[in-house]
Amino acid sequence: MQYDWNDPLPFGKYKGMLISEIASFNPKYLAWAVNNLSKFDLTPNARKLGQRELNKHREQSMQRQNGWAWGFGKAVKSAASAWSARLIHLEHEARNRAANRKPATRDQS
């Protein structure tokens, strides 16, 4: 049977909820149901809207992974890069100082 965007889901953990509500927070569940349940299908319009929700969730997930969801992704990456460069610089300075030190000579009197 084909279900439309505003139809309630007749089974499963979201039974009674509208397809549109489920798509707003768990579009993967609907994709799974369409692909795995022979008696469940969405109308072409509901598929289109569901795909839009799935794409939106994927984009939000990518943004969260990059730190953009909190608005500080660029700043964090920039600070981490600067910090890393500073650590490398300090390490090089320490190695140069160690290499330029003359070995201590012992007085053999």
Side-chain angles (χ1 to χ4, degrees), residues 8-68:
L9 191 67
F11 60 84
K13 63 182 178 179
Y14 302 125
K15 184 177 182 175
M17 291 183 72
L18 299 181
I19 302 291
S20 59
E21 292 173 328
I22 299 164
S24 70
F25 67 88
N26 194 355
K28 288 182 180 183
Y29 180 79
L30 293 175
W32 174 86
V34 167
N35 291 325
N36 293 290
L37 303 176
S38 60
K39 294 183 180 183
F40 179 77
D41 199 6
L42 297 174
T43 63
N45 183 52
R47 281 179 177 257
K48 180 180 172 183
L49 294 171
Q51 186 63 51
R52 186 179 300 156
E53 287 295 324
L54 190 57
N55 292 340
K56 184 169 57 172
H57 277 259
R58 285 180 180 151
E59 178 65 27
Q60 288 171 348
S61 177
M62 293 293 291
Q63 289 174 352
R64 278 192 299 277
Q65 289 174 7
N66 292 327
W68 289 106

Side-chain angles (χ1 to χ4, degrees), residues 78-88:
S78 177
S81 183
W83 182 68
S84 178
R86 179 71 179 144
L87 288 177
I88 291 169

